Amino acid sequence: MDQKPTPPAEDPALNAAFEARIAAGESIEPKDWMPERYRRQLTRMMSQHAHSEIVGMLPEGNWITRAPSLRRKMSLIAKVQDEAGHGLYIYCGTETLGVDRFDLYNQLLDGTAKYSSIFNYPTLSWADMGVIGWLVDGAAIVNQTVLAKTSYGPYARAMVRICKEENFHKRQGYEICATLAAGTPSQKAMVQDAVDRFWWPSLMMFGPSDKDSPNTAELLRWRVKRKTNDELRQRFVNLTVPQAQAIGLTLPDPDLTYNAETRNWDFGAIDWAEFFEVIKGNGPCNQERLAARNKAHDDGQWVREAAEAYARKQAKKTEAA
Amino acid sequence: MSAAKSASGDSHWPLWEVFTQGSTGQPFEHAGSLHATDAEHALQNARDVYARRGEAVNLWVVPSTAITASAPGDAGPFFDPGNDKAYRHPQFYKAPRGVKIY
């Protein structure tokens, strides 16, 4: 006997109606019927995205106490707070798919969940705060602007909200880079070094090349994704090259050349071996990030308990009154 | 990790739907949801999560369980009584040419 559980059969009529709605460009809402695989793919994508927002607070949190001025410090705190908010928008989107946010969060804490590989790189200098805002948030904006048109309504709405806020992140980062690039020789060297370290990992943020991305075709058909990884990566490169030129920084790629025919900036080969190592958990900071996240969660236990105790006390008071 | 940890999340707190009013006189719009221990806690968290940049002058938080929603699958028959009555729209009525009636 075959002991493998057979997947629940899905009504072909429902499936056809779903595909027709997708093809007509309609939004899918939480209570609508959807194929189990669509639900699973979205849960996977959205939870990885939410985890990335949460882990993304750590490399920047590292510099809050060492920001060079009060103005920079206020901006950085506001940005890190935004990232927490972004995580919450997306987690609340995943809950509309019928999953418990804390199950997802536990997968992050125990190291089984994936999140964006970029946050496993260390932030070694203040200039990294500028470069993260400019390149990492810049890459995220390119990705999220397209996701704002994704077929799942709650995800799309979360993206619209996030995109509005990310523009502040990118501009504050670019301002830091421009200021350092126009500063003393050692400031300029510091920001160039940060660009040199973050450029290639930023390109990897868009995920594997289309030919190694087995989910892409299905996700495009379902309009979950609206552009391929390679298309988005190219768009990011095209946007970023002039921004680097404008402030006199170079991007660490000798093959970067303008292609007048395609009107794209052609770029060199990405080190995918490095990407897959970081995804597997062997990046420079994977262990440290998870340890910090677990510590933050454990240290927050008394706050959750206090909130519950306070709510119980208030409820009792209301009852007595 | 530890078994104790998996029991100590906050997603078992009640779920609240958050509605924001962008400026006075405007309708309240659904912004998202969050978990909180009680209404006051929900309101404070809603402010921090959904109104960090002047997005709202007023907030509502509503227990998600208090919302009754129409079923998408029944949308056709449910809304049908309103769909076939063209005479409810101004375009149904003819006016003499050249007369400005608004």
Side-chain angles (χ1 to χ4, degrees):
Chain A
M1 286 272 285
D2 187 2
Q3 290 295 308
K4 263 187 274 175
T6 45
E10 288 186 335
D11 185 338
L14 285 174
N15 227 327
F18 175 84
E19 295 285 349
R21 291 189 62 201
I22 292 278
E26 282 186 38
S27 253
I28 306 302
E29 292 297 332
K31 290 176 81 182
D32 293 347
W33 186 90
M34 62 188 87
E36 205 38 49
R37 190 164 163 78
Y38 178 85
R39 188 185 299 276
R40 273 210 310 273
Q41 287 280 30
L42 270 167
T43 306
R44 181 183 63 84
M45 264 182 80
M46 290 171 72
S47 60
Q48 285 178 10
H49 194 162
H51 297 330
S52 302
E53 300 284 354
I54 298 301
V55 178
M57 292 192 280
L58 299 173
E60 295 183 307
N62 183 32
W63 279 92
I64 287 176
T65 55
R66 291 174 288 164
S69 69
L70 183 59
R71 182 177 185 270
R72 294 287 190 227
K73 187 171 181 166
M74 289 190 306
S75 304
L76 191 58
I77 291 172
K79 179 180 188 295
V80 171
Q81 189 191 12
D82 276 352
E83 307 299 0
H86 295 178
L88 199 133
Y89 302 157
I90 310 173
Y91 281 132
C92 104
T94 59
E95 292 188 304
T96 67
L97 291 163
V99 287
D100 185 333
R101 183 183 73 193
F102 200 65
D103 290 343
L104 301 176
Y105 197 62
N106 264 336
Q107 291 164 12
L108 173 66
L109 293 178
D110 71 17
T112 50
K114 284 183 186 161
Y115 54 85
S116 184
S117 54
I118 191 86
F119 301 119
N120 289 317
Y121 290 87
T123 44
L124 303 176
S125 74
W126 167 252
D128 290 14
M129 296 304 98
V131 170
I132 285 181
W134 172 33
L135 297 182
V136 176
D137 290 85
I141 290 172
V142 167
N143 191 25
Q144 290 166 349
T145 309
V146 176
L147 278 175
K149 295 178 211 122
T150 190
S151 59
Y152 188 56
Y155 196 19
R157 291 191 286 274
M159 286 305 111
V160 170
R161 200 171 283 281
I162 288 176
C163 283
K164 279 188 200 155
E165 302 183 350
E166 290 282 1
N167 286 330
F168 141 62
H169 299 175
K170 181 173 175 181
R171 282 181 72 113
Q172 65 90 33
Y174 191 61
E175 189 193 272
I176 293 172
C177 293
T179 306
L180 291 173
T184 64
S186 63
Q187 285 173 326
K188 184 162 186 184
M190 178 168 72
V191 67
Q192 183 62 59
D193 168 66
V195 171
D196 292 348
R197 282 182 287 112
F198 276 96
W199 173 248
W200 289 106
S202 300
L203 294 192
M204 294 175 197
M205 281 177 69
F206 296 94
S209 171
D210 295 349
K211 60 179 171 24
D212 300 316
S213 180
N215 291 320
T216 293
E218 182 180 62
L219 292 174
L220 282 173
R221 181 168 57 84
W222 277 336
R223 293 178 179 251
V224 171
K225 276 190 176 185
R226 307 301 304 268
K227 299 254 191 256
T228 69
N229 296 352
D230 286 336
E231 285 170 334
L232 293 169
R233 189 167 10 247
Q234 184 65 61
R235 182 173 157 68
F236 172 70
V237 173
N238 291 351
L239 284 168
T240 308
V241 172
Q243 293 164 358
Q245 289 170 337
I247 55 175
L249 295 175
T250 54
L251 299 171
D253 180 357
D255 296 328
L256 198 62
T257 42
Y258 187 68
N259 184 330
E261 203 177 305
T262 61
R263 301 170 121 190
N264 285 325
W265 281 88
D266 292 339
F267 51 94
I270 293 173
D271 180 359
W272 291 115
E274 175 182 323
F275 172 78
F276 287 113
E277 274 305 299
V278 179
I279 287 283
K280 262 194 288 177
N282 302 326
C285 295
N286 294 55
Q287 308 276 331
E288 188 187 327
R289 299 294 183 236
L290 279 190
R293 216 39 254 161
N294 274 286
K295 180 174 186 304
H297 182 76
D298 294 344
D299 289 352
Q301 178 60 22
W302 73 269
V303 180
R304 291 186 291 275
E305 283 169 8
E308 287 173 17
Y310 182 76
R312 276 195 301 273
K313 194 172 96 182
Q314 291 303 107
K316 221 179 251 173
K317 262 194 208 163
T318 319
E319 255 171 55
Chain B
M1 299 220 151
S2 64
K5 179 171 288 171
S6 55
S8 65
D10 52 13
S11 59
H12 63 281
W13 292 348
L15 187 64
W16 304 76
E17 301 298 326
V18 179
F19 297 81
T20 53
Q21 186 186 33
S23 57
T24 53
Q26 294 299 307
F28 283 72
E29 232 180 54
H30 185 239
S33 61
L34 50 80
H35 292 280
T37 50
D38 62 14
E40 186 192 349
H41 187 199
L43 204 55
Q44 285 175 356
N45 283 359
R47 176 201 58 197
D48 292 345
V49 177
Y50 293 104
R52 284 195 299 283
R53 291 185 172 76
E55 292 95 333
V57 293
N58 279 302
L59 285 174
W60 288 346
V61 289
V62 181
S64 304
T65 50
I67 294 179
T68 308
S70 60
D74 300 339
F78 187 70
F79 293 106
D80 187 50
N83 288 342
D84 61 346
K85 294 176 180 59
Y87 51 85
R88 284 176 173 164
H89 297 279
Q91 294 80 1
F92 184 76
Y93 301 95
K94 294 187 183 75
R97 189 179 289 270
V99 179
K100 252 192 148 163
I101 60 166
Y102 297 116

